[in-house]
Every structure is written in C-alpha cells, then in structure tokens.
C-alpha cells in the first residue's frame, strides 16, 4: 500500500501548485483517512531532538516495562507452551510502553532537555494541525477557521492538545500479542511522528462522514525498538460537536467530553455505537 505523500509547502506556491495540493489533501482525507506530509515546516533539527529525548526517556522506563502486565502475560503463555499446553493469543492488551503529555499533567524530568524540547515540538505541531484544519475547512466549503471555532466552543474553551509517546520494544512472540490493537482515533487531527514521518489523520463528524477516521493497528516486531509520537488536536471537552457539512447527517450533536467517556470504554470496538451512546435526546 502506497501512502499518499503531500508536499505541504506547495500550499504557498503557484495557483496551480496550491490547487493540486488541496486536491491531494482532500483525497487523503476522503479516500484514505491519513497521509504523509513533507516540507511541513517543522525543522528537522527539532525532530531529531524529539527522537533523541523520547528514546532516552524510554531507556529510563525500560526496566519498568519488563515488569509490566503484557510482559508477564506473554512469559506465562510461553511457559505454558514449554509445558506442552496450548497458548491462545492475547486479544485484550498491547505490547506498548506509553506516557501522555498535555498542558496540565506532569512531564518526565529526565533527560534534562526533555521538557524544553517537547514544549517546542508541541507548539510547532499545534500550529501545523491548525493549518491542516484550515485546508480541510476550504475543501469542505466551510469558512476559514470553522473547525477551530467548533473545537473551542467559539473561543470559550481551549482545544485539547495531547501528545502520546509510545515505544514498542522487541517482542519475542509477536504471534501471541499485538503491539496496539486495531482501533479508530477520536477527535480531530492527529499528527504522527515515527521514523521521521509526520502524517495527518482524521476528521469525521464535522465533515458529516465525508472525512472518516481509518482503522489502524501496530504489529509487534521481534527486533528493534519502534518509536511513535502522536499529537492529537481535539475539541475541548466542553465543546458541542455536530455536522457542519450538509443536512440530515448520520451523526448526532454531542458534547465531546461525553463522547470521550464512551470512547475510553469502546476504543477497540466499532465506532458507530459510540455516537448512538452520546446522542442527545430530542426536545419535545
């Protein structure tokens, strides 16, 4: 599968280059649910520093991961096999070490340059996410800034911008456990940095289903430590979200925080029932 690759700098090029790039973004959102951005304006030097501090932070956490439930569970399955017993693959946990960064939580203190580097990175990614959203606004025929206003409740609340730092250590039996189970993401725009790639994912309800989130998963590998840094530009929990494109949409109006309560319990299930669960009651 060839992932769409989009030169984001051409939005500032000639009229023909801009039109072609906008069409590529529209196709990536509508037909794929994700795409890879190049020449996106985030300095390579900054990306290199992010890669370095995230790897160093994992090395400080590695011993704890080796004592975690996924590792103990997999060791138990392998021990059972050695005794001649059948070992069924685990389908309710992930071979993944993660921590989250947002404005209000505690960040790792080591390595010493971690906080400064990740603050700079998150500021750059937040700006990039807003530029991607403006391109989506234009492609969907919405006023510039329409999605951002919806995410902030017309400026009354700050959007939720979180970053998930993940590592997938070498797994001795990738046939018995997943790296990350198949799921769709919730929220707005997800910018993913892995192996020097920055890609955009997902807007669904505001586009009335035209731009859909894509199912994706992570497979564990026997060799190598895989890194993934995903930044989520999501609506404020207080924001009310409803279709902004077309009429008679398949999605209800809902408060994003209520949807996230449902999503936390149903992340790895089909997404349609989540919207039913938060559907606002009709007034009489």
């Amino acid at each position: 599968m060839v992932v769409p690759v989009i030169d984001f700098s051409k939005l500032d090029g000639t009229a023909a280059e801009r039109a072609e790039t906008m069409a590529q973004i529209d196709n990536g959102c509508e037909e794929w649910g994700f795409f890879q951005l190049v020449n996106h304006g985030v300095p390579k030097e900054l990306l290199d520093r992010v890669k370095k501090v995230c790897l160093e932070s994992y090395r400080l956490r590695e011993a704890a991961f080796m004592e975690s439930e996924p590792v103990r569970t997999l060791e138990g399955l392998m021990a059972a096999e050695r005794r001649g017993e059948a070992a069924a693959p685990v389908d309710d946990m992930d071979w993944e070490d993660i921590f989250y960064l947002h404005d209000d939580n505690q960040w790792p203190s080591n390595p010493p340059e971690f906080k400064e580097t990740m603050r700079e990175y998150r500021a750059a990614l937040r700006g990039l996410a807003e530029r991607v959203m403006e391109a989506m606004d234009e492609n969907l025929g919405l006023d510039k800034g329409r999605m951002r206003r919806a995410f902030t409740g017309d400026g009354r609340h700050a959007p939720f911008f979180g970053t998930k730092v993940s590592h997938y250590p070498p797994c001795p039996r990738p046939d018995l456990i997943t790296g990350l189970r198949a799921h769709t993401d919730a929220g707005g725009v997800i910018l993913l940095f892995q192996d020097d790639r920055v890609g955009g994912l997902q807007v669904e309800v505001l586009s009335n289903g035209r731009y859909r989130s894509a199912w994706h998963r992570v497979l564990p590998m026997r060799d190598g430590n895989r890194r993934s840094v995903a930044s989520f530009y999501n609506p404020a929990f207080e924001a009310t979200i409803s279709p902004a494109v077309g009429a008679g949409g398949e999605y209800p109006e809902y408060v994003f925080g209520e949807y996230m309560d449902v999503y936390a319990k149903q992340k790895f299930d089909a997404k349609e029932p989540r919207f039913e669960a938060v559907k606002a009651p009709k007034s009489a």
Side-chain angles (χ1 to χ4, degrees):
M1 181 174 66
V2 180
V3 176
V5 179
I6 300 173
D7 186 342
F8 207 54
S9 67
K10 289 188 177 180
L11 284 181
D12 300 320
T14 66
E17 289 174 334
R18 189 178 192 282
E20 181 182 1
T21 303
M22 291 294 292
Q24 290 172 341
I25 292 172
D26 190 46
N27 177 262
C29 292
E30 187 167 358
E31 300 297 331
W32 291 78
F34 59 92
F35 47 84
Q36 180 185 348
L37 291 180
V38 297
N39 298 324
H40 40 67
V42 181
K44 182 179 184 302
E45 178 273 335
L46 175 57
L47 295 176
D48 287 342
R49 281 193 283 131
V50 169
K51 183 163 53 176
K52 179 176 181 289
V53 298
C54 288
L55 179 58
E56 290 177 359
S57 72
Y58 169 70
R59 287 173 176 162
L60 296 171
R61 299 165 55 90
E62 188 171 8
F65 177 76
M66 298 313 295
E67 300 295 327
S68 67
E69 184 179 0
V71 174
R72 293 195 306 270
T73 299
L74 187 58
E75 288 175 344
L77 291 174
M78 292 189 296
E81 281 189 334
R82 289 192 293 271
R83 296 192 299 268
E85 302 171 10
V90 178
D91 60 5
D92 61 352
M93 65 178 62
D94 306 305
W95 189 264
E96 178 187 39
D97 176 79
I98 60 173
F99 59 87
Y100 291 91
L101 307 174
H102 53 81
D103 292 340
D104 301 322
N105 72 336
Q106 185 173 357
W107 294 19
S109 298
N110 288 307
E113 63 271 26
F114 181 89
K115 290 183 180 180
E116 178 183 356
T117 297
M118 295 308 292
R119 286 194 186 103
E120 183 179 349
Y121 174 73
R122 279 169 46 82
L125 266 286
R126 179 166 173 159
L128 178 57
E130 290 174 348
R131 290 188 65 201
V132 170
M133 289 168 62
E134 288 179 358
M136 292 177 174
D137 283 335
E138 185 174 336
N139 276 331
L140 291 168
L142 303 175
D143 294 337
K144 183 177 181 179
R146 173 66 176 83
M147 289 186 185
R148 185 177 179 184
R149 290 194 299 274
F151 281 25
T152 63
D154 285 325
R156 295 189 301 275
H157 312 287
F160 182 85
F161 187 69
T163 298
K164 176 188 174 186
V165 180
S166 304
H167 282 88
Y168 304 92
C171 178
R173 289 293 303 276
D175 57 315
L176 292 179
I177 194 169
T178 57
L180 177 60
R181 285 163 282 172
H183 64 286
T184 56
D185 291 319
V189 172
I190 295 88
L191 296 173
L192 179 66
F193 173 34
Q194 59 174 26
D195 301 328
D196 300 317
R197 294 181 180 181
V198 178
L201 291 174
Q202 192 209 17
V203 166
E204 183 170 340
V205 174
L206 280 166
S207 71
N208 204 6
R210 178 173 158 186
Y211 292 170
R212 291 180 176 269
S213 55
W215 281 91
H216 56 287
R217 63 176 179 170
V218 176
L219 298 176
M221 305 298 290
R222 289 185 181 273
D223 302 309
N225 177 43
R226 182 178 180 274
R227 181 201 68 258
S228 171
V229 183
S231 294
F232 304 79
Y233 192 110
N234 286 349
F237 283 8
E238 302 88 347
T240 298
I241 303 299
S242 61
V245 179
E250 60 182 288
Y251 299 100
E253 178 179 281
Y254 63 91
V255 176
F256 185 69
E258 294 176 0
Y259 175 77
M260 287 303 293
D261 288 341
V262 175
Y263 177 81
K265 301 182 182 75
Q266 301 180 13
K267 177 177 179 178
F268 302 106
D269 300 331
K271 57 190 172 184
E272 287 76 12
R274 303 175 202 156
F275 297 113
E276 289 299 318
V278 295
K279 184 178 292 186
K282 303 278 186 190
S283 57

